[in-house]
Amino acid sequence: MASVRLRSVGNSVGVVFPKELLAKYNLSEGDTVQVVETPDGFLLTPVSPDVEEQLRLGRELMKTYRETFAALAK
């Protein structure tokens, strides 16, 4: 288990991860992690580029066929 410190980043707050932890999970600056709230706190999970691309395509599809999906949802 690793402890991290919250730091001010502009008007927000960010987390700085130790280099060893980033290396262990093959993460670097600019990568995306998913944050899930659990009864015990937060769960951070790396998001693979493949999943990000699938989500992007899904959002594009939903936007293009918004009316069709709305009709199907009725």
PDB file of all heavy atoms in Angstrom, residues 14-37:
ATOM      1  N   GLY A  14      -5.015  17.805  -6.961  1.00  0.00           N
ATOM      2  CA  GLY A  14      -4.524  16.625  -7.660  1.00  0.00           C
ATOM      3  C   GLY A  14      -3.782  15.700  -6.721  1.00  0.00           C
ATOM      4  O   GLY A  14      -3.509  16.040  -5.572  1.00  0.00           O
ATOM      5  N   VAL A  15      -3.476  14.532  -7.219  1.00  0.00           N
ATOM      6  CA  VAL A  15      -2.738  13.528  -6.455  1.00  0.00           C
ATOM      7  C   VAL A  15      -1.417  13.279  -7.163  1.00  0.00           C
ATOM      8  O   VAL A  15      -1.384  13.114  -8.382  1.00  0.00           O
ATOM      9  CB  VAL A  15      -3.526  12.205  -6.362  1.00  0.00           C
ATOM     10  CG1 VAL A  15      -2.742  11.147  -5.613  1.00  0.00           C
ATOM     11  CG2 VAL A  15      -4.881  12.430  -5.711  1.00  0.00           C
ATOM     12  N   VAL A  16      -0.342  13.236  -6.414  1.00  0.00           N
ATOM     13  CA  VAL A  16       0.973  12.929  -6.966  1.00  0.00           C
ATOM     14  C   VAL A  16       1.322  11.498  -6.567  1.00  0.00           C
ATOM     15  O   VAL A  16       1.368  11.160  -5.385  1.00  0.00           O
ATOM     16  CB  VAL A  16       2.038  13.919  -6.440  1.00  0.00           C
ATOM     17  CG1 VAL A  16       3.405  13.559  -6.986  1.00  0.00           C
ATOM     18  CG2 VAL A  16       1.660  15.346  -6.809  1.00  0.00           C
ATOM     19  N   PHE A  17       1.529  10.654  -7.587  1.00  0.00           N
ATOM     20  CA  PHE A  17       1.853   9.252  -7.341  1.00  0.00           C
ATOM     21  C   PHE A  17       3.363   9.039  -7.385  1.00  0.00           C
ATOM     22  O   PHE A  17       4.044   9.616  -8.238  1.00  0.00           O
ATOM     23  CB  PHE A  17       1.200   8.354  -8.399  1.00  0.00           C
ATOM     24  CG  PHE A  17      -0.296   8.317  -8.313  1.00  0.00           C
ATOM     25  CD1 PHE A  17      -1.070   9.079  -9.167  1.00  0.00           C
ATOM     26  CD2 PHE A  17      -0.926   7.524  -7.376  1.00  0.00           C
ATOM     27  CE1 PHE A  17      -2.447   9.058  -9.092  1.00  0.00           C
ATOM     28  CE2 PHE A  17      -2.299   7.492  -7.288  1.00  0.00           C
ATOM     29  CZ  PHE A  17      -3.072   8.264  -8.150  1.00  0.00           C
ATOM     30  N   PRO A  18       3.876   8.186  -6.509  1.00  0.00           N
ATOM     31  CA  PRO A  18       5.308   7.879  -6.552  1.00  0.00           C
ATOM     32  C   PRO A  18       5.692   7.206  -7.880  1.00  0.00           C
ATOM     33  O   PRO A  18       4.887   6.489  -8.480  1.00  0.00           O
ATOM     34  CB  PRO A  18       5.503   6.896  -5.387  1.00  0.00           C
ATOM     35  CG  PRO A  18       4.275   6.980  -4.564  1.00  0.00           C
ATOM     36  CD  PRO A  18       3.187   7.489  -5.435  1.00  0.00           C
ATOM     37  N   LYS A  19       6.895   7.467  -8.318  1.00  0.00           N
ATOM     38  CA  LYS A  19       7.405   6.920  -9.573  1.00  0.00           C
ATOM     39  C   LYS A  19       7.287   5.395  -9.627  1.00  0.00           C
ATOM     40  O   LYS A  19       6.942   4.822 -10.659  1.00  0.00           O
ATOM     41  CB  LYS A  19       8.877   7.327  -9.734  1.00  0.00           C
ATOM     42  CG  LYS A  19       9.325   7.403 -11.163  1.00  0.00           C
ATOM     43  CD  LYS A  19      10.802   7.686 -11.359  1.00  0.00           C
ATOM     44  CE  LYS A  19      11.361   8.790 -10.514  1.00  0.00           C
ATOM     45  NZ  LYS A  19      12.770   9.082 -10.831  1.00  0.00           N
ATOM     46  N   GLU A  20       7.558   4.728  -8.509  1.00  0.00           N
ATOM     47  CA  GLU A  20       7.509   3.271  -8.460  1.00  0.00           C
ATOM     48  C   GLU A  20       6.099   2.745  -8.725  1.00  0.00           C
ATOM     49  O   GLU A  20       5.908   1.733  -9.398  1.00  0.00           O
ATOM     50  CB  GLU A  20       7.997   2.751  -7.097  1.00  0.00           C
ATOM     51  CG  GLU A  20       9.432   3.098  -6.768  1.00  0.00           C
ATOM     52  CD  GLU A  20       9.599   4.541  -6.272  1.00  0.00           C
ATOM     53  OE1 GLU A  20       8.618   5.164  -5.821  1.00  0.00           O
ATOM     54  OE2 GLU A  20      10.731   5.050  -6.361  1.00  0.00           O
ATOM     55  N   LEU A  21       5.094   3.434  -8.194  1.00  0.00           N
ATOM     56  CA  LEU A  21       3.707   3.023  -8.377  1.00  0.00           C
ATOM     57  C   LEU A  21       3.277   3.222  -9.833  1.00  0.00           C
ATOM     58  O   LEU A  21       2.608   2.366 -10.414  1.00  0.00           O
ATOM     59  CB  LEU A  21       2.800   3.822  -7.433  1.00  0.00           C
ATOM     60  CG  LEU A  21       1.382   3.323  -7.237  1.00  0.00           C
ATOM     61  CD1 LEU A  21       1.371   1.908  -6.670  1.00  0.00           C
ATOM     62  CD2 LEU A  21       0.637   4.259  -6.303  1.00  0.00           C
ATOM     63  N   LEU A  22       3.692   4.332 -10.428  1.00  0.00           N
ATOM     64  CA  LEU A  22       3.388   4.571 -11.837  1.00  0.00           C
ATOM     65  C   LEU A  22       4.021   3.499 -12.714  1.00  0.00           C
ATOM     66  O   LEU A  22       3.398   2.997 -13.654  1.00  0.00           O
ATOM     67  CB  LEU A  22       3.874   5.959 -12.259  1.00  0.00           C
ATOM     68  CG  LEU A  22       3.173   7.142 -11.592  1.00  0.00           C
ATOM     69  CD1 LEU A  22       3.878   8.439 -11.948  1.00  0.00           C
ATOM     70  CD2 LEU A  22       1.712   7.195 -11.976  1.00  0.00           C
ATOM     71  N   ALA A  23       5.257   3.143 -12.414  1.00  0.00           N
ATOM     72  CA  ALA A  23       5.951   2.117 -13.196  1.00  0.00           C
ATOM     73  C   ALA A  23       5.265   0.762 -13.049  1.00  0.00           C
ATOM     74  O   ALA A  23       5.098   0.035 -14.030  1.00  0.00           O
ATOM     75  CB  ALA A  23       7.410   2.024 -12.762  1.00  0.00           C
ATOM     76  N   LYS A  24       4.851   0.441 -11.842  1.00  0.00           N
ATOM     77  CA  LYS A  24       4.200  -0.854 -11.579  1.00  0.00           C
ATOM     78  C   LYS A  24       2.938  -1.025 -12.420  1.00  0.00           C
ATOM     79  O   LYS A  24       2.653  -2.110 -12.912  1.00  0.00           O
ATOM     80  CB  LYS A  24       3.859  -0.976 -10.091  1.00  0.00           C
ATOM     81  CG  LYS A  24       3.180  -2.272  -9.724  1.00  0.00           C
ATOM     82  CD  LYS A  24       2.936  -2.356  -8.237  1.00  0.00           C
ATOM     83  CE  LYS A  24       2.249  -3.653  -7.867  1.00  0.00           C
ATOM     84  NZ  LYS A  24       2.026  -3.780  -6.425  1.00  0.00           N
ATOM     85  N   TYR A  25       2.180   0.067 -12.607  1.00  0.00           N
ATOM     86  CA  TYR A  25       0.923  -0.013 -13.351  1.00  0.00           C
ATOM     87  C   TYR A  25       1.030   0.573 -14.758  1.00  0.00           C
ATOM     88  O   TYR A  25       0.028   0.785 -15.428  1.00  0.00           O
ATOM     89  CB  TYR A  25      -0.197   0.672 -12.560  1.00  0.00           C
ATOM     90  CG  TYR A  25      -0.531  -0.123 -11.328  1.00  0.00           C
ATOM     91  CD1 TYR A  25      -0.021   0.242 -10.090  1.00  0.00           C
ATOM     92  CD2 TYR A  25      -1.310  -1.270 -11.409  1.00  0.00           C
ATOM     93  CE1 TYR A  25      -0.293  -0.501  -8.948  1.00  0.00           C
ATOM     94  CE2 TYR A  25      -1.589  -2.024 -10.285  1.00  0.00           C
ATOM     95  CZ  TYR A  25      -1.083  -1.633  -9.066  1.00  0.00           C
ATOM     96  OH  TYR A  25      -1.348  -2.384  -7.945  1.00  0.00           O
ATOM     97  N   ASN A  26       2.259   0.811 -15.191  1.00  0.00           N
ATOM     98  CA  ASN A  26       2.536   1.294 -16.542  1.00  0.00           C
ATOM     99  C   ASN A  26       1.742   2.568 -16.848  1.00  0.00           C
ATOM    100  O   ASN A  26       1.109   2.686 -17.890  1.00  0.00           O
ATOM    101  CB  ASN A  26       2.235   0.197 -17.575  1.00  0.00           C
ATOM    102  CG  ASN A  26       2.845   0.502 -18.921  1.00  0.00           C
ATOM    103  OD1 ASN A  26       3.866   1.167 -19.004  1.00  0.00           O
ATOM    104  ND2 ASN A  26       2.219   0.026 -19.965  1.00  0.00           N
ATOM    105  N   LEU A  27       1.762   3.509 -15.918  1.00  0.00           N
ATOM    106  CA  LEU A  27       1.063   4.776 -16.071  1.00  0.00           C
ATOM    107  C   LEU A  27       2.057   5.911 -16.228  1.00  0.00           C
ATOM    108  O   LEU A  27       3.159   5.854 -15.697  1.00  0.00           O
ATOM    109  CB  LEU A  27       0.187   5.053 -14.841  1.00  0.00           C
ATOM    110  CG  LEU A  27      -1.012   4.140 -14.646  1.00  0.00           C
ATOM    111  CD1 LEU A  27      -1.625   4.369 -13.272  1.00  0.00           C
ATOM    112  CD2 LEU A  27      -2.040   4.381 -15.737  1.00  0.00           C
ATOM    113  N   SER A  28       1.633   6.944 -16.958  1.00  0.00           N
ATOM    114  CA  SER A  28       2.461   8.139 -17.079  1.00  0.00           C
ATOM    115  C   SER A  28       1.539   9.346 -17.191  1.00  0.00           C
ATOM    116  O   SER A  28       0.315   9.219 -17.326  1.00  0.00           O
ATOM    117  CB  SER A  28       3.389   8.037 -18.282  1.00  0.00           C
ATOM    118  OG  SER A  28       2.638   7.900 -19.470  1.00  0.00           O
ATOM    119  N   GLU A  29       2.129  10.526 -17.146  1.00  0.00           N
ATOM    120  CA  GLU A  29       1.357  11.759 -17.213  1.00  0.00           C
ATOM    121  C   GLU A  29       0.460  11.763 -18.449  1.00  0.00           C
ATOM    122  O   GLU A  29       0.891  11.390 -19.536  1.00  0.00           O
ATOM    123  CB  GLU A  29       2.301  12.960 -17.259  1.00  0.00           C
ATOM    124  CG  GLU A  29       1.584  14.278 -17.251  1.00  0.00           C
ATOM    125  CD  GLU A  29       2.524  15.476 -17.260  1.00  0.00           C
ATOM    126  OE1 GLU A  29       3.731  15.282 -17.053  1.00  0.00           O
ATOM    127  OE2 GLU A  29       2.031  16.580 -17.478  1.00  0.00           O
ATOM    128  N   GLY A  30      -0.798  12.134 -18.256  1.00  0.00           N
ATOM    129  CA  GLY A  30      -1.748  12.189 -19.358  1.00  0.00           C
ATOM    130  C   GLY A  30      -2.609  10.949 -19.493  1.00  0.00           C
ATOM    131  O   GLY A  30      -3.617  10.968 -20.194  1.00  0.00           O
ATOM    132  N   ASP A  31      -2.221   9.840 -18.841  1.00  0.00           N
ATOM    133  CA  ASP A  31      -3.037   8.626 -18.873  1.00  0.00           C
ATOM    134  C   ASP A  31      -4.326   8.862 -18.087  1.00  0.00           C
ATOM    135  O   ASP A  31      -4.414   9.760 -17.251  1.00  0.00           O
ATOM    136  CB  ASP A  31      -2.288   7.434 -18.274  1.00  0.00           C
ATOM    137  CG  ASP A  31      -1.171   6.935 -19.171  1.00  0.00           C
ATOM    138  OD1 ASP A  31      -1.126   7.347 -20.341  1.00  0.00           O
ATOM    139  OD2 ASP A  31      -0.351   6.142 -18.687  1.00  0.00           O
ATOM    140  N   THR A  32      -5.322   8.043 -18.358  1.00  0.00           N
ATOM    141  CA  THR A  32      -6.615   8.150 -17.693  1.00  0.00           C
ATOM    142  C   THR A  32      -6.794   7.006 -16.714  1.00  0.00           C
ATOM    143  O   THR A  32      -6.467   5.864 -17.024  1.00  0.00           O
ATOM    144  CB  THR A  32      -7.752   8.106 -18.738  1.00  0.00           C
ATOM    145  OG1 THR A  32      -7.560   9.157 -19.680  1.00  0.00           O
ATOM    146  CG2 THR A  32      -9.109   8.261 -18.089  1.00  0.00           C
ATOM    147  N   VAL A  33      -7.295   7.345 -15.536  1.00  0.00           N
ATOM    148  CA  VAL A  33      -7.679   6.316 -14.566  1.00  0.00           C
ATOM    149  C   VAL A  33      -9.152   6.508 -14.237  1.00  0.00           C
ATOM    150  O   VAL A  33      -9.670   7.623 -14.249  1.00  0.00           O
ATOM    151  CB  VAL A  33      -6.837   6.360 -13.264  1.00  0.00           C
ATOM    152  CG1 VAL A  33      -5.403   5.989 -13.532  1.00  0.00           C
ATOM    153  CG2 VAL A  33      -6.934   7.695 -12.590  1.00  0.00           C
ATOM    154  N   GLN A  34      -9.829   5.414 -13.982  1.00  0.00           N
ATOM    155  CA  GLN A  34     -11.232   5.462 -13.611  1.00  0.00           C
ATOM    156  C   GLN A  34     -11.315   5.489 -12.092  1.00  0.00           C
ATOM    157  O   GLN A  34     -10.614   4.743 -11.415  1.00  0.00           O
ATOM    158  CB  GLN A  34     -11.960   4.241 -14.163  1.00  0.00           C
ATOM    159  CG  GLN A  34     -13.435   4.229 -13.875  1.00  0.00           C
ATOM    160  CD  GLN A  34     -14.121   3.035 -14.499  1.00  0.00           C
ATOM    161  OE1 GLN A  34     -13.494   2.008 -14.729  1.00  0.00           O
ATOM    162  NE2 GLN A  34     -15.393   3.169 -14.768  1.00  0.00           N
ATOM    163  N   VAL A  35     -12.177   6.354 -11.550  1.00  0.00           N
ATOM    164  CA  VAL A  35     -12.361   6.470 -10.111  1.00  0.00           C
ATOM    165  C   VAL A  35     -13.738   5.914  -9.768  1.00  0.00           C
ATOM    166  O   VAL A  35     -14.750   6.363 -10.303  1.00  0.00           O
ATOM    167  CB  VAL A  35     -12.269   7.935  -9.640  1.00  0.00           C
ATOM    168  CG1 VAL A  35     -12.454   8.025  -8.134  1.00  0.00           C
ATOM    169  CG2 VAL A  35     -10.951   8.554 -10.063  1.00  0.00           C
ATOM    170  N   VAL A  36     -13.769   4.917  -8.882  1.00  0.00           N
ATOM    171  CA  VAL A  36     -15.021   4.311  -8.444  1.00  0.00           C
ATOM    172  C   VAL A  36     -15.115   4.464  -6.934  1.00  0.00           C
ATOM    173  O   VAL A  36     -14.162   4.142  -6.216  1.00  0.00           O
ATOM    174  CB  VAL A  36     -15.073   2.804  -8.820  1.00  0.00           C
ATOM    175  CG1 VAL A  36     -16.359   2.172  -8.341  1.00  0.00           C
ATOM    176  CG2 VAL A  36     -14.893   2.627 -10.321  1.00  0.00           C
ATOM    177  N   GLU A  37     -16.241   4.977  -6.466  1.00  0.00           N
ATOM    178  CA  GLU A  37     -16.460   5.070  -5.022  1.00  0.00           C
ATOM    179  C   GLU A  37     -16.905   3.718  -4.502  1.00  0.00           C
ATOM    180  O   GLU A  37     -17.771   3.074  -5.082  1.00  0.00           O
ATOM    181  CB  GLU A  37     -17.525   6.116  -4.701  1.00  0.00           C
ATOM    182  CG  GLU A  37     -17.053   7.534  -4.905  1.00  0.00           C
ATOM    183  CD  GLU A  37     -18.083   8.533  -4.423  1.00  0.00           C
ATOM    184  OE1 GLU A  37     -18.339   8.585  -3.200  1.00  0.00           O
ATOM    185  OE2 GLU A  37     -18.617   9.237  -5.288  1.00  0.00           O
TER     186      GLU A  37
END
